[in-house]
Amino acid sequence: METDARPYPAHWEADVVLRDGGTAHLRPIRPDDAERLERFHSRLSEQTIYFRFFAPYPRLTPRDVTRFTVVDHVDRVAIIALVGAEMIGVVRYDRIPGPDGKPGTEAEVAFNIEDAHQGRGLGAVLLEHVAAAAHERGIEGFVAEVLPTNRKMIAVFKDAGYKPSHDYEDGVLHMEFAIEQTAESLAVMQAREHRAEAESMLRLLRPTSVAVVGAGRARDSLGNLLLRDILTAGFTGTVYAVNPRASEVEGVPCYPSLAEVPGPVDLAVVAVPASAMAEVVADAASQGVHGLVVASAGFAETGDEEGLERQRTLVRTARRGGMRVVGPSSLGIINTDPEIRLGASLAPGLPRRGRVGFFSQSGALGIAVLEALQRRGLGLSTFVSAGNRADVSGNDLLQYWEEDDATEVVLLYLETIGNPRKFSRLCRRIGRTKPVVAVGSGRSLRALPPGIAVRESRVPAAAVNAVFDQAGIVRVDTLHEMLDVASVLAFQPLPGGRRVAIVGNSAALCALAENACADEHVTVVGYPVVIDNEASVDDFERALTAVFAEPDVDSVVAVFVPPLVTPDEAVRELVTDTARGSQKTCVASFISMGGVRRLSEDAPAPDRGLVPAFPTPEDAVRALAAVTEYAQWRRRPAGTVPDLLDIDRSGARARVEHLLAENPEGRDLTAAEAADLLAHYGIIVWARHVVGSALEAVEAAQRVGFPVALKATAPHLRHRVDLGSVQLGLVDARAVRTAFAEMAELFGRAVSRSLVVQRMAPPGVSVIVASEEDPRFGPIVSFGVAGVATELLEDRSFRIPPLTDSDAAAMVREVRASPLLFGHRGAAPVAHAAVEELLLRVATLCDELPEVACLELNSVLVSASGLAVLDVDLRLAPPAVRSDLGPRRL
């Protein structure tokens, strides 16, 4: 078996998070790793060596070293794991020749992991990466020879979600399994990713020791401010200061460098010039620091290539040293747990303990929000300012907050989403138990702020908003709205429905609240209950009690102006007490009290019964409506990704590879080629017959059977029935000849040479199903009712795969023209279930074939009995790397 060696596959390199939250760097082995491999082998225990080689093997021979380090990256592949400069693990495969001597489709796989790093989940990560590399090289399955006593290695194979078969012979366990990713193996991988990333955040947010590097004497210096904030917050662990030109700062002994700190350091808060960062990171790695909070500027936010390269070097070096990085240009992190009291930020004082976790990409805005949270009584569990978000991102914090019992509401201030597919996946899962509130619209999240390196996106703002809605994220446009919504979520139960009652002592305010309800699409039950402005507390109590007792009321909006008789505080207490005795949601607007009282810093955190109060009725209703939408999403069944029948994945994959081999740069497929590819996913496109004369049109019509349609294919005329480019219901040869002549005269000879004849589909509603591959979001599937009006109004729904049956049903129903599908004005309803299945098939195809750059089914004619796909446009292109597919990586 002869195979040409391939160039070094740099795209196999990856930084990964291990089970304990530490990091490692994976890459293919190189010949210059010879000494590194020998040092690695020398550190292995006798048992580990025996498990790998089935015999004592105290040292590797020069021949062994050459054989292990010189590979062809095709038939012989090895991937090593490094922390710092040292190798801590290796996985390799050797292809097994086929029976004809040609390269086979199976390979023997073997691991070796240093004893000190066993139990960190490294074996599972290495298996994921070597399986992806093998699959890329045409290998379909692995075989492994394992000693029965090597239980850890057996567990790596069995717990990976694959289905290994095994037999026992001559004291050795022989295992075989296919390496194609399955739903089970993907679920296992994502569960491991969740545990690892959550643990890496736990190491950052619950340190037992903190060192401030760059702790200067000047009280207005960044390092001094951070050190003082940590001390003022009352951090329960050990605090160190690092400054080569001071013996102490703020009463804390100083050390010249991190390497000279006498005790272990879990977290390093860094405020040194960017030019000095390399030495700090190296010292931190040698000291075993778990994570860095980099407050320093001078990185990618400068906008020049030098700053960007400094940032890349910082992250690369930190990860290979086993550390995660918050920042650079971070304003710090906070954990209000009384057992930790970590205030490593520039926020004034440690915020009140509460149930809200807050992630901010903007440092300045983050500090402003913290202060506003304090005023509203919304205490914090944890806070992270990401700065340039070079490493730690909102996705990492979502993984942590899902497991954190102290966090019940998640707030995100987002300027970009680096991995939207993963973000959507996490929010879909987390939102079922904890609300996620995000500031950021489709318009704003497509921008690229300085210091943030993400792929550009071409998707429309409406599609980005739909991704949020699909994931159950409570999407708001402003920080003010985020705090409003958080106040309701933190203190009130979720509404049981959309029915709202309004009660107040001002007809004008009640009318404003009623109008706001109409604007926000919540239903007012009956008429607002207006109490006389001279009413007593007892009058208010009776009105409120009656409203809360109504069985058809889900939420209550209470609005008040300065009462003539009743004191403000009495009104507030009355509303709170009445609402606390109910399971219904309540919001209020106390005009006389400025909406919300400022709470003293030492006041205890409000309990769950607090009724959030807002400056205006409109603010109150807007927040209530957002929470109502979230509650409705949470009640909606999550749905399942159905197992669709009649899908030939291997045939489709082979077809795509063949087409791209002929045209590596990509190309538009012909109608026949596109129909052939779609057929592999159970999508049948009706045949079209291209004709260039009236005679050919008649002959084609006779072959397919009357009645037929005659259509123009010129790009500017396709689907433009209003321009006469489509002639329908042609029942005989004479009608076909007449239609051809009319279209030839109307559009000219060039157009008439490429008309198509197609069998008539049953009458119905024409819809469009499409998908476009976006560099950042991956495939975006869209749906709309066909027609010029809906195109001009951009009346489309969007989702990102994988689509559940619930997603597909929602896509069909949420476009404004959807009544046309469900019997508008007495028309018969069409087969909307068939449309939903088509959406699922298109989403599956585009999710599994990233080479499908653009796909449009236009038109799809839906009748009461089914649907007909009449036209397709499909373009193939070299696939972009999707950030949420393949083995785990940072």
Side-chain angles (χ1 to χ4, degrees):
M1 181 180 68
E2 295 183 1
T3 303
D4 294 332
R6 299 282 183 91
Y8 177 83
H11 64 286
W12 290 355
E13 293 195 16
D15 295 323
V16 297
V17 183
L18 304 179
R19 181 185 299 160
D20 60 1
T23 59
H25 180 66
L26 307 188
R27 64 165 172 80
I29 204 164
R30 302 189 304 241
D32 61 4
D33 288 317
E35 292 184 7
R36 184 176 284 112
L37 175 65
E38 290 179 294
R39 293 196 302 270
F40 165 75
H41 188 83
S42 70
R43 296 193 299 270
L44 301 179
S45 68
E46 292 181 1
Q47 183 185 60
T48 296
I49 292 173
Y50 188 80
F51 280 158
R52 170 64 180 88
F53 295 101
F54 298 1
Y57 217 88
R59 64 177 55 86
L60 298 175
T61 66
R63 182 179 178 182
D64 291 331
V65 173
T66 300
R67 180 166 60 91
F68 288 150
T69 57
V70 179
V71 297
D72 60 16
H73 304 303
V74 181
D75 293 336
R76 299 180 60 247
V77 166
I79 297 175
I80 64 175
L82 301 106
V83 171
E86 291 304 311
M87 176 177 161
I88 64 169
V90 60
V91 61
R92 61 183 302 112
Y93 78 69
D94 291 271
R95 191 189 298 262
I96 300 171
D100 55 359
K102 294 182 178 180
T105 59
E106 285 190 324
E108 184 173 1
V109 65
F111 293 86
N112 216 357
I113 297 171
E114 186 176 335
D115 297 69
H117 294 275
Q118 292 177 11
R120 303 184 66 195
L122 183 56
V125 174
L126 286 171
L127 178 60
E128 290 174 20
H129 284 260
V130 79
H135 189 268
E136 184 178 325
R137 298 304 193 221
I139 291 173
E140 299 174 359
F142 278 159
V143 301
E145 306 287 342
V146 185
L147 291 174
T149 52
N150 192 355
R151 296 183 179 88
K152 290 182 180 178
M153 194 56 60
I154 295 172
V156 168
F157 294 125
K158 288 189 174 181
D159 295 344
Y162 301 113
K163 299 184 183 300
S165 62
H166 54 82
D167 56 61
Y168 183 76
E169 185 176 349
D170 296 330
V172 176
L173 192 64
H174 178 83
M175 307 179 73
E176 296 185 11
F177 55 93
I179 61 173
E180 183 177 6
Q181 197 172 72
T182 64
E184 184 178 353
S185 65
L186 181 63
V188 168
M189 183 178 70
Q190 290 176 352
R192 287 172 171 164
E193 171 196 68
H194 165 65
R195 289 193 298 270
E197 292 179 359
E199 188 66 27
S200 73
M201 294 301 97
L202 186 71
R203 285 161 45 122
L204 282 170
L205 290 165
R206 300 187 68 85
T208 60
S209 55
V210 175
V212 178
V213 185
R217 288 198 183 100
R219 291 180 66 80
D220 60 348
S221 66
L222 185 58
N224 186 280
L225 289 169
L226 287 165
L227 177 60
R228 279 191 285 131
D229 286 339
I230 293 171
L231 297 174
T232 303
F235 178 57
T236 59
T238 306
V239 180
Y240 300 102
V242 175
N243 185 335
R245 292 180 296 277
S247 58
E248 63 85 25
V249 175
E250 300 297 331
V252 177
C254 270
Y255 299 91
S257 69
L258 266 175
E260 297 177 68
V261 172
V265 175
D266 292 336
L267 178 70
V269 180
V270 186
V272 301
S275 58
M277 191 61 65
E279 183 179 353
V280 171
V281 176
D283 287 345
S286 66
Q287 184 77 334
V289 173
H290 293 161
L292 306 173
V293 175
V294 180
S296 311
F299 294 88
E301 80 284 350
T302 62
D304 56 42
E305 187 61 32
E306 184 180 354
L308 180 60
E309 185 54 37
R310 278 197 296 266
Q311 182 164 299
R312 288 171 175 162
T313 301
L314 162 65
V315 174
R316 181 170 58 247
T317 309
R319 286 175 174 173
R320 295 179 186 185
M323 298 174 287
R324 300 297 307 270
V325 178
V326 178
S329 296
S330 167
L331 268 292
I333 64 176
I334 293 172
N335 186 349
T336 62
D337 187 337
E339 295 183 0
I340 306 296
R341 297 188 62 82
L342 176 64
S345 80
L346 299 179
L350 190 70
R352 179 184 290 107
R353 180 69 168 165
R355 296 180 284 276
V356 174
F358 179 35
F359 172 85
S360 175
Q361 277 185 236
S362 167
L365 286 176
I367 298 302
V369 171
L370 291 181
E371 200 273 336
L373 286 168
Q374 288 289 86
R375 290 200 310 270
R376 293 174 181 242
L378 279 166
L380 274 181
S381 61
T382 41
F383 163 74
V384 173
S385 163
N388 291 0
R389 205 203 54 176
D391 179 22
V392 170
S393 70
N395 285 345
D396 292 299
L397 271 299
L398 286 170
Q399 301 274 37
Y400 170 76
W401 281 323
E402 183 177 11
E403 299 296 324
D404 182 32
D405 292 336
T407 302
E408 297 178 12
V409 180
V410 172
L411 305 184
L412 306 173
Y413 176 77
L414 302 174
E415 294 178 339
T416 60
I417 308 175
N419 189 338
R421 288 169 62 88
K422 181 175 179 179
F423 177 69
S424 175
R425 166 169 59 86
L426 295 180
C427 289
R428 287 195 222 189
R429 186 180 73 224
I430 296 166
R432 291 289 165 184
T433 56
K434 296 181 180 183
V436 178
V437 186
V439 180
S441 66
R443 183 176 61 256
S444 64
L445 290 172
R446 292 171 73 246
L448 296 177
I452 306 296
V454 296
R455 297 174 184 174
E456 292 188 8
S457 175
R458 299 186 300 266
V459 300
V464 181
N465 292 339
V467 170
F468 274 50
D469 297 339
Q470 177 184 8
I473 300 164
V474 185
R475 177 171 48 87
V476 296
D477 293 324
T478 67
L479 293 169
H480 176 78
E481 291 178 20
M482 180 182 74
L483 297 173
D484 287 349
V485 171
S487 297
V488 181
L489 290 168
F491 300 126
Q492 289 291 301
L494 293 178
R498 307 186 69 84
R499 302 166 301 180
V500 177
I502 300 171
V503 60
N505 67 341
S506 164
L509 286 183
C510 287
L512 290 175
E514 188 174 20
N515 292 338
C517 287
D519 292 340
E520 299 295 336
H521 308 293
V522 291
T523 304
V524 177
V525 177
Y527 296 98
V529 178
V530 182
I531 307 166
D532 187 274
N533 60 8
E534 295 185 0
S536 66
V537 173
D538 292 340
D539 294 328
F540 288 137
E541 183 177 13
R542 282 190 292 271
L544 285 168
T545 301
V547 166
F548 274 106
E550 288 291 337
D552 59 348
V553 170
D554 301 306
S555 304
V556 175
V557 178
V559 292
F560 290 90
V561 294
L564 298 181
V565 177
T566 307
D568 291 354
E569 289 300 328
V571 175
R572 177 185 287 278
E573 291 174 7
L574 169 65
V575 174
T576 298
D577 292 343
T578 307
R580 187 180 282 117
S582 169
Q583 291 302 310
K584 297 178 180 179
T585 314
C586 184
V587 294
S589 178
F590 296 105
I591 301 301
S592 64
M593 304 171 72
V596 184
R597 294 178 301 175
R598 183 180 182 91
L599 301 176
S600 63
E601 297 298 326
D602 57 352
D607 62 22
R608 296 178 194 276
L610 176 73
V611 174
F614 301 91
T616 70
E618 291 86 351
D619 288 338
V621 171
R622 189 182 301 111
L624 175 63
V627 174
T628 299
E629 287 290 342
Y630 166 69
Q632 184 169 317
W633 175 86
R634 192 153 136 175
R635 286 192 300 271
R636 191 180 304 144
T640 58
V641 178
D643 187 11
L644 299 169
L645 303 177
D646 304 322
I647 292 183
D648 177 13
R649 290 178 170 85
S650 60
R653 167 53 53 197
R655 186 67 180 143
V656 166
E657 291 176 355
H658 172 73
L659 290 167
L660 281 180
E662 296 177 340
N663 301 89
E665 75 286 354
R667 69 173 175 88
D668 296 322
L669 301 192
T670 66
E673 290 170 334
D676 176 61
L677 180 57
L678 292 175
H680 287 88
Y681 276 81
I683 302 170
I684 306 303
V685 182
W686 281 32
R688 305 163 74 230
H689 303 272
V690 180
V691 298
S693 67
L695 177 60
E696 291 179 1
V698 170
E699 291 174 347
Q702 290 172 338
R703 286 196 303 271
V704 302
F706 293 103
V708 298
L710 186 65
K711 305 176 181 180
T713 59
H716 67 289
L717 294 173
R718 290 178 64 188
H719 318 301
R720 292 300 303 272
V721 180
D722 56 317
L723 298 180
S725 65
V726 179
Q727 297 286 334
L728 303 175
L730 307 179
V731 297
D732 54 28
R734 180 180 179 182
V736 172
R737 284 193 292 270
T738 300
F740 191 96
E742 291 176 352
M743 294 177 72
E745 182 178 356
L746 183 62
F747 302 121
R749 186 174 181 82
V751 171
S752 66
R753 287 175 176 172
S754 59
L755 300 181
V756 297
V757 172
Q758 196 168 40
R759 179 164 56 95
M760 277 293 295
V765 179
S766 183
V767 302
I768 302 173
V769 175
S771 179
E772 183 174 359
E773 183 79 13
D774 183 74
R776 200 190 310 176
F777 285 79
I780 300 283
V781 179
S782 64
F783 169 79
V785 175
V788 175
T790 53
E791 289 178 11
L792 291 174
L793 295 173
E794 297 185 348
D795 185 20
R796 291 186 294 166
S797 57
F798 301 89
R799 294 292 187 278
I800 62 173
L803 258 62
T804 66
D805 48 7
S806 296
D807 289 330
M811 287 186 73
V812 171
R813 287 158 178 80
E814 70 186 37
V815 296
R816 293 191 294 276
S818 64
L820 295 173
L821 304 171
F822 294 91
H824 181 61
R825 292 190 174 182
V830 302
H832 55 84
V835 180
E836 294 165 18
E837 181 178 337
L838 179 61
L839 282 165
L840 292 167
R841 290 185 181 275
V842 167
T844 303
L845 181 152
C846 294
D847 200 27
E848 296 178 349
L849 299 176
E851 296 88 350
V852 177
C854 184
L855 168 64
E856 182 176 87
L857 306 180
N858 184 4
S859 66
V860 179
L861 196 60
V862 192
S863 65
S865 58
L867 60 76
V869 180
L870 302 178
D871 198 5
V872 57
D873 287 320
L874 197 158
R875 177 171 180 77
L876 294 181
V881 177
R882 291 183 184 167
S883 52
D884 196 37
L885 294 180
R888 287 174 281 163
R889 63 175 61 218
L890 285 167

